[in-house]
Amino acid sequence: MATKLLLLFAIYRLIVVVGLTLDPNKLLRLGVEGQLSVHPSDLKTASSDFGGVKRAEPVAVLHPALPEDVVHLVKAAYESAHGFTVSARGHGHSTNGQAQTTKGVVIQMSRSRVSRIDSINPTWPMVLEKLMYVDVWGGELWIDVLRSTLKYGLAPKSWTDYLYLSVGGTLSNGGISGQAFNHGPQISNVHELDVVTGKGELLSCSEEQNSELFHAVLGGLGQFGIITRARITLELAPQRVRWIRVLYSNFSAFTDDQEYLISLHGQPAAEKFDYVEGFVIVDEGLVNNWRSSFFSPQNPVKISSLKAGGGLLYSLEITKNYDESNADTIDQEIEILLKKLNFIPASVFTADLPYVDFLDRVHKAELKLRSKGLWEVPHPWVNLFVPKSRIADFNEGVFKGILGNKSSGPILIYPMNKNKWDERSSVVTPDEEVFYLVALLRSALDNGEETQTLEYLSNQNRQIRRFCDETGINVKQYLPHYNTRQEWMDHFGDKWAQFYQRKMEFDPRRILATGQQIFKPSFKTNTASR
């Protein structure tokens, strides 16, 4: 009885706030298995995200217990005369309100205090060992996918640096890390999806079935449907990782070596590295290097001594995966590869650790930052795809110019091969065979230093984008965020017509993912105050 009363209250809020005219009896089916919540703590959580920059309060939050709960809610929004918006939220790690919605309903896809994903389908994640893939709920976190597949000695091929992200969330954007040069992004390693479209239809899609929806949803920013199930490609999981970092003072040598290493993607495993990333070293503080604690107090390389001239340093981060069966050859394989690189000779630092510990490396740094109150702060992040032909100009204008040897968070920079990305997906990349991810993962701190305030960092982000525009560096945003329709059209370029057509086909009332600010709903929302 108590649950039904809460549900009726949630429906009442929908009627009052958004002018819902749908038969309430239809909505009564919502939350029978899951819960449609109006609890203040649920609304507060759904109103913010990791970015801490934007806030939008929904009317209610749905904690689904079955995929059909998602179907019923989206269908109710689609069929309502006035309608309401719906946004899917995973772990809430977006940075510009992408998973938020004002006066609509947020679907909390990841685990919560209200429901456990196990209740949706107790067999998920389902590992099909012989076929080498795993079926997972769209709100499942990658760390839990990894734990499930490792029981069979298997693991997904492509990762993100941080594993506490939802499967549906990363597949809606791309999903990248240092394995992308070899295996492509996570969206290039998907066999099949179950998707609830903006019409409230639950459809299975793949290369062979509903292929237009399949390619639209992958990298589609949540605009075409909500992923409730994903079938992910697996490989044999290595047991251990040799993790190596080397330093450069010369940017050209740094990028030349990175580009050489990713050119080896087609070579046998013994003749290439398994992971290639790089980053700019500004200083050795925790907030600037939270991605790992790799450079420990026992590190024989004194970074400050190498920076005596005041210039920037660049770090190449590479790994070799191995098992006990080939442990005796791993040192030789690494030595052969390192001999072809032009790093500072005295700067080699190596660690050896279990495969799962390497993949989960960022979480350890997260715990350190949380303990110091440095995690739940605003994060004005910018992620850019920069064409290879202009990466040196970007270094001069941004790393050495705008940033001025100062940062308040890690700066990643590493190349990827365009041929590992499927052009049929919704993701937009630069029109060059090799392009770089440049990720400015800054944290805004209230510590009295102007250069670390949210206002200062946000202004710097605008300066960086303006610099690229004025110098003709045709960057594309990864995890894009724009404020106007024209900016979105410019972002998608030749893909805009297709993107728009897909939106009209799969979400014609434009009720999904309105936090992205790409399309406005086709209905007028009620502005009555609560």
Side-chain angles (χ1 to χ4, degrees):
M1 176 61 72
T3 300
K4 200 161 199 176
L5 287 174
L6 285 172
L7 179 59
L8 286 170
F9 181 51
I11 295 170
Y12 171 75
R13 282 173 61 87
L14 283 169
I15 292 172
V16 171
V17 177
V18 303
L20 186 67
T21 59
L22 185 72
D23 181 359
N25 288 323
K26 281 193 174 184
L27 280 179
L28 278 172
R29 293 202 298 270
L30 293 173
V32 172
E33 299 295 336
Q35 183 181 19
L36 187 64
S37 172
V38 293
H39 195 281
S41 65
D42 284 335
L43 298 181
K44 181 180 179 181
T45 298
S47 297
S48 59
D49 58 21
F50 185 68
V53 177
K54 296 204 170 183
R55 182 178 177 82
E57 184 169 311
V59 176
V61 177
L62 176 66
H63 301 274
L66 297 169
E68 286 73 20
D69 289 347
V70 180
V71 172
H72 293 325
L73 178 73
V74 176
K75 195 169 185 179
Y78 176 67
E79 293 181 348
S80 168
H82 288 282
F84 57 92
T85 57
V86 177
S87 287
R89 185 180 191 273
H91 194 52
H93 205 73
S94 52
T95 58
N96 284 288
Q98 288 96 332
Q100 298 171 19
T101 184
T102 301
K103 297 181 180 178
V105 179
V106 167
I107 303 178
Q108 182 57 58
M109 297 291 288
S110 295
R111 298 180 189 273
S112 69
R113 65 175 180 82
V114 176
S115 63
R116 288 190 56 79
I117 301 304
D118 294 347
S119 66
I120 294 173
N121 188 327
T123 64
W124 287 354
M126 179 190 294
V127 178
L128 292 100
E129 189 175 2
K130 292 183 179 179
L131 298 174
M132 299 292 281
Y133 57 67
V134 58
D135 280 344
V136 300
W137 166 247
E140 195 71 80
L141 301 186
W142 284 103
I143 182 64
D144 296 317
V145 176
L146 176 62
R147 288 167 178 161
S148 298
T149 60
L150 283 176
K151 295 175 183 177
Y152 299 83
L154 303 173
K157 296 179 179 181
S158 190
W159 293 98
T160 57
D161 286 331
Y162 182 55
L163 301 188
Y164 288 75
L165 304 174
S166 70
V167 171
T170 64
L171 295 185
S172 294
N173 288 282
I176 55 175
S177 185
Q179 303 89 358
F181 83 94
N182 200 24
H183 298 294
Q186 290 181 316
I187 58 173
S188 294
N189 293 273
V190 180
H191 281 288
E192 187 176 280
L193 299 171
D194 284 350
V195 175
V196 179
T197 70
K199 299 176 183 178
E201 301 171 320
L202 179 59
L203 300 175
S204 293
C205 55
S206 64
E207 290 272 9
E208 295 77 28
Q209 180 183 14
N210 295 315
S211 60
E212 188 70 18
L213 177 62
F214 181 71
H215 295 299
V217 169
L218 294 174
L221 307 176
Q223 290 297 314
F224 311 108
I226 297 170
I227 298 171
T228 58
R229 178 185 65 92
R231 179 167 288 179
I232 309 297
T233 304
L234 301 177
E235 66 176 354
L236 291 175
Q239 296 171 337
R240 299 194 65 81
V241 170
R242 189 67 56 81
W243 187 12
I244 304 160
R245 281 186 177 173
V246 295
L247 300 178
Y248 296 76
S249 58
N250 183 287
F251 186 74
S252 294
F254 170 66
T255 54
D256 286 347
D257 281 358
Q258 285 197 95
E259 290 163 18
Y260 165 71
L261 291 177
I262 72 165
S263 74
L264 303 176
H265 64 88
Q267 298 300 314
E271 299 175 19
K272 62 184 177 183
F273 285 110
D274 296 290
Y275 163 99
V276 176
E277 284 198 13
F279 57 97
V280 181
I281 295 180
V282 177
D283 62 47
E284 299 173 74
L286 175 61
V287 76
N288 285 327
N289 293 289
W290 56 256
R291 290 181 63 253
S292 76
S293 55
F294 192 93
F295 291 117
S296 67
Q298 291 75 37
N299 181 6
V301 180
K302 187 62 178 173
I303 295 177
S304 57
S305 67
L306 296 173
K307 294 180 66 176
L312 292 176
L313 284 180
Y314 310 93
S315 177
L316 173 63
E317 183 176 78
I318 44 186
T319 71
K320 282 286 284 185
N321 301 335
Y322 71 99
D323 300 327
E324 297 300 333
S325 61
N326 66 330
D328 56 339
T329 64
I330 196 70
D331 289 332
Q332 183 180 4
E333 292 173 8
I334 291 172
E335 183 180 359
I336 292 172
L337 284 165
L338 290 182
K339 282 183 177 178
K340 299 179 181 180
L341 306 182
N342 295 298
F343 51 84
I344 298 171
S347 69
V348 181
F349 188 77
T350 303
D352 197 280
L353 65 168
Y355 181 62
V356 65
D357 288 359
F358 171 72
L359 291 181
D360 199 29
R361 62 200 179 279
V362 173
H363 183 56
K364 295 178 181 179
E366 173 193 345
L367 297 178
K368 289 183 181 180
L369 288 171
R370 284 189 183 278
S371 70
K372 298 179 181 294
L374 297 175
W375 185 257
E376 293 182 353
V377 298
H379 296 95
W381 286 7
V382 172
N383 295 270
L384 303 172
F385 288 150
V386 182
K388 167 189 167 181
S389 64
R390 302 300 304 276
I391 195 64
D393 297 327
F394 192 94
N395 175 61
E396 290 294 326
V398 178
F399 299 151
K400 292 184 177 181
I402 294 172
L403 298 184
N405 293 347
K406 291 183 180 295
S407 184
S408 61
I411 303 173
L412 309 188
I413 171 172
Y414 60 90
M416 286 173 280
N417 297 306
K418 188 178 180 71
N419 62 10
K420 296 292 182 178
W421 294 68
D422 193 327
E423 287 297 298
R424 295 171 295 178
S425 77
S426 294
V427 175
V428 180
T429 60
D431 192 22
E432 292 189 10
E433 289 306 307
V434 172
F435 58 89
Y436 280 78
L437 170 74
V438 175
L440 305 174
L441 309 181
R442 279 101 68 81
S443 300
L445 305 178
D446 186 15
N447 59 4
E449 293 190 29
E450 181 188 0
T451 58
Q452 294 189 351
T453 63
L454 177 60
E455 181 181 6
Y456 185 90
L457 296 175
S458 298
N459 284 335
Q460 265 196 346
N461 291 342
R462 286 189 283 271
Q463 290 177 38
I464 292 168
R465 290 192 290 267
R466 186 163 57 247
F467 166 78
C468 292
D469 289 340
E470 291 175 352
T471 57
I473 303 177
N474 187 25
V475 300
K476 295 294 183 182
Q477 282 193 34
Y478 176 63
L479 310 177
H481 169 68
Y482 299 100
N483 295 314
T484 68
R485 168 65 71 86
Q486 186 59 52
E487 287 175 317
W488 280 110
M489 292 175 68
D490 292 342
H491 169 76
F492 284 105
D494 293 341
K495 276 193 171 183
W496 172 253
Q498 180 189 56
F499 193 87
Y500 181 85
Q501 183 179 1
R502 286 172 167 176
K503 183 68 171 179
M504 295 305 102
E505 179 177 357
F506 300 119
D507 182 23
R509 297 198 70 184
R510 307 186 284 285
I511 63 176
L512 297 178
T514 53
Q516 292 280 3
Q517 299 182 33
I518 305 176
F519 300 98
K520 292 183 179 180
S522 63
F523 51 83
K524 294 182 179 179
T525 56
N526 191 326
T527 58
S529 60
R530 297 185 194 82

